């Protein structure tokens, strides 16, 4: 096991010595969502001085950066009389995608918030453009090098263009930035990530690979420890997307509604479940924007299938090297059935005594990593955002 932890400031300058003496590490890398990590170590004074707001943690595994991002909870300190030393501190961290997730999409990104259009519900509109270009533009103009100085994330640059994705459209107004990017990425199944390379945080878009023939997990190959498969009914099989103008807004006649249905086909196996998706303000589906919204909703509402596997790295197959988030891989179940699906989460756990353990969450849905409560709160935030935008 070769793991090293460094603390940097927000400009990626290393501060202090590497963190040593840690007792437990867990880090989840998530597909198109911020990472989640937790580190426990002795509360030495020199460590407490480093674990401060604004600093970052860089997790290095086998001489490569596994995860790097902000300290979300720099200090969770605990001490009791039974301990011989000065207590322990738990550090919770994420990757730099969490920084991007903290921004909204300005309708006029070249202007500050108080200078936005006060007369109309102006939106940031992309019509029939490449999906990767739309995502890169959204990040660049809201928090990247092209953003207003006060909104720029330190050391954030755009990675090399990958040349992926089809033609998409998007209209957005004060939506969570990462949600808007995920909406554009959904149809093509594109992935988004941040990477620390030298003194830069590089944001890029990529097309996950089909590795079903090369990334295989089974007891026979010695890289599968346990399997837990769960299958549940879909929460929606038909996304009924409602676009057009707001019928309650007399200032914008003729207030024509546009309707698009996006169905998954899962009703043939289960039963029909309808869900309304509100895209008020999107006047047509000419650029496929209403269809995109339905596709994104289906990705979250489809059959609640997930496959949680405990895997181990071998010389032939290693997480991060031979397969990554979003890739399609194969699991050979002990029953003889094979399942192919998408890698949603790669979890790295380690202790000095027990070494490393890699756990993969593979499935068509993220139910094992995102609770229903979180999804409800996120949906509520979207609805409130639309109401505030029209207010």
């Amino acid at each position: 096991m070769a793991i090293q932890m460094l603390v940097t400031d927000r400009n990626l300058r290393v501060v202090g010595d590497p963190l040593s003496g840690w007792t437990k590490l867990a880090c989840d890398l998530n597909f198109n969502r911020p990472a989640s990590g937790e580190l426990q170590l002795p509360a030495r004074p020199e460590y407490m001085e480093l674990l401060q707001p604004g600093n970052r943690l860089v997790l290095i595994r086998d001489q490569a950066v596994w995860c790097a991002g902000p300290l979300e909870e720099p200090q969770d300190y605990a001490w009791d009389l039974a301990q011989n030393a000065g207590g322990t501190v738990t550090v919770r961290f994420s990757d730099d995608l969490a920084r991007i997730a903290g921004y909204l999409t300005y309708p006029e990104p070249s202007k500050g918030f108080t200078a936005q259009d006060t007369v109309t519900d102006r939106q940031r509109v992309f019509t029939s453009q490449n999906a990767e270009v739309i995502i890169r533009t959204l990040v660049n103009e809201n928090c990247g090098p092209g953003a207003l100085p006060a909104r720029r994330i330190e050391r954030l640059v755009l990675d090399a263009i990958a040349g992926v994705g089809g033609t998409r459209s998007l209209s957005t107004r004060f939506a969570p930035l990462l949600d808007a990017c995920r909406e554009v990425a959904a149809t093509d199944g594109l992935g988004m990530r941040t990477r620390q390379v030298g003194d830069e945080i590089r944001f890029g878009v990529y097309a996950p690979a089909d590795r079903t023939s090369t990334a295989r997990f089974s007891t026979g190959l010695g890289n599968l420890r346990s399997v837990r498969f769960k299958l549940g009914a879909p929460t929606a099989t038909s996304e009924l997307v409602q676009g057009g103008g707001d019928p309650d807004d007399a200032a914008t006649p003729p207030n024509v509604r546009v309707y698009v249905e996006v169905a998954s086909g899962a009703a043939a196996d289960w039963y029909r479940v309808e869900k309304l998706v509100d895209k008020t303000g999107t006047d047509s589906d000419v650029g496929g924007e209403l269809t995109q919204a339905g596709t994104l909703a289906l990705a979250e509402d489809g059959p609640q299938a997930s496959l949680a596997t405990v895997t181990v790295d071998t010389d032939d197959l290693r997480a991060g090297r031979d397969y990554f988030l979003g890739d399609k891989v194969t699991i050979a179940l002990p029953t003889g059935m094979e399942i192919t699906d998408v890698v949603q989460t790669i979890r790295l756990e380690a202790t000095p005594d027990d070494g490393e353990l890699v756990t993969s969450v593979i499935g068509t849905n993220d139910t094992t990593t995102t609770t229903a409560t979180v999804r409800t709160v996120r949906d509520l935030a979207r609805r409130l955002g639309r109401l505030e935008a029209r207010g």
Side-chain angles (χ1 to χ4, degrees):
M1 178 175 62
I3 290 180
Q4 185 181 42
M5 262 81 68
L6 302 175
V7 178
T8 77
D9 63 16
R10 64 184 65 216
N11 287 297
L12 278 62
R13 291 186 292 259
V14 176
V15 293
D17 297 326
L19 301 177
S20 61
W22 54 274
T23 56
K24 187 177 181 181
L25 168 69
C27 181
D28 289 353
L29 301 182
N30 300 312
F31 182 51
N32 287 351
R33 289 178 173 82
S36 176
E38 184 174 292
L39 175 68
Q40 294 180 4
L41 67 163
R44 299 171 183 167
E46 61 270 26
Y47 292 168
M48 304 300 278
E49 185 178 351
L50 300 178
L51 303 175
Q52 297 295 327
N55 283 347
R56 303 166 64 255
L57 186 74
V58 181
L59 168 57
I60 300 173
R61 182 192 185 212
D62 295 335
Q63 299 183 333
V65 176
W66 179 265
C67 180
L71 302 179
E72 296 196 312
E73 292 183 16
Q75 298 183 15
D76 184 352
Y77 175 76
W79 175 89
D80 61 55
L81 188 61
Q83 291 181 310
N84 297 323
T88 61
V89 61
T90 300
V91 184
R92 297 180 180 89
F93 59 95
S94 186
D95 59 9
D96 291 303
L97 202 60
R99 295 284 308 274
I100 294 173
Y103 284 76
L104 301 179
T105 57
Y106 278 20
E108 300 175 287
S110 63
K111 300 179 181 179
F113 177 72
T114 57
Q116 297 292 307
D117 195 318
T118 59
V119 178
T120 64
D121 284 347
R122 184 185 298 275
Q123 294 187 331
R124 181 67 172 100
V125 179
F126 300 87
T127 304
S128 300
Q129 297 186 33
N130 172 261
E132 180 185 8
V133 171
I134 294 176
I135 295 170
R136 289 167 60 93
T137 301
L138 284 170
V139 171
N140 180 53
E141 65 188 18
N142 283 286
C143 61
L148 295 172
R151 302 186 74 206
R152 292 175 192 163
I153 295 176
E154 298 86 355
R155 314 306 301 172
L156 179 65
V157 300
L158 297 180
D159 212 336
I161 194 162
V164 297
T167 300
R168 306 286 171 245
S169 297
L170 177 75
S171 299
T172 179
R173 173 182 171 83
F174 296 125
L177 176 55
L178 198 55
D179 281 357
C181 292
R182 290 178 61 230
E183 182 175 338
V184 178
T187 302
D188 298 307
L190 299 179
M192 298 169 285
R193 62 185 172 191
T194 54
R195 302 186 300 141
Q196 179 173 325
V197 180
D199 62 351
E200 293 179 336
I201 300 170
R202 299 181 184 178
F203 171 83
V205 180
Y206 67 97
D210 184 343
R211 304 191 185 279
T212 52
S213 62
T214 57
R216 297 176 58 86
F217 300 92
S218 71
T219 55
L221 293 172
N223 57 11
L224 185 62
R225 291 281 182 87
S226 67
V227 176
R228 181 174 182 179
F229 179 66
K230 181 172 63 176
L231 181 63
T235 55
T237 62
S238 290
E239 305 289 350
L240 308 180
V241 187
Q242 175 181 263
D246 187 347
D248 296 329
D249 187 357
T252 59
N255 300 320
V256 176
R257 279 294 190 190
V258 181
Y259 301 102
V260 172
E261 179 175 355
V262 182
S264 66
D269 297 323
W270 296 89
Y271 37 78
R272 184 178 176 89
V273 184
E274 299 175 342
K275 178 181 176 182
L276 183 65
V277 179
D278 184 10
K279 288 292 290 183
T280 296
T282 302
D283 296 331
S284 75
D285 196 39
V286 173
E289 190 174 347
L290 298 177
T291 299
Q292 285 173 202
T295 301
L296 180 64
L298 279 180
E300 298 185 355
D301 297 332
Q304 307 297 292
S306 62
L307 181 66
T309 65
V310 176
T311 65
V312 290
D313 279 349
T314 65
D315 291 339
D316 296 326
L317 188 61
R318 290 177 63 84
R321 185 193 70 185
D322 302 307
Y323 68 94
F324 193 60
L325 297 169
D327 289 350
K328 185 176 287 188
V329 300
T330 298
I331 303 292
L333 301 179
T335 61
M337 182 175 65
E338 291 191 351
I339 296 177
T340 63
D341 224 315
V342 172
V343 179
Q344 296 286 351
T345 297
I346 299 174
R347 180 178 179 85
L348 170 65
E349 296 179 278
T351 65
D353 295 333
D354 298 330
E356 298 178 2
L357 182 66
V358 177
T359 305
S360 300
V361 176
I362 302 166
T364 57
N365 199 284
D366 63 345
T367 54
T368 55
T369 55
T370 302
T371 66
T373 300
V374 172
R375 289 199 300 275
T376 300
V377 171
R378 185 174 62 208
D379 290 342
L380 177 60
R382 288 172 178 165
R383 292 196 297 273
L384 289 176
R386 284 195 289 269
L387 291 172
E388 291 170 358
R390 296 202 298 265

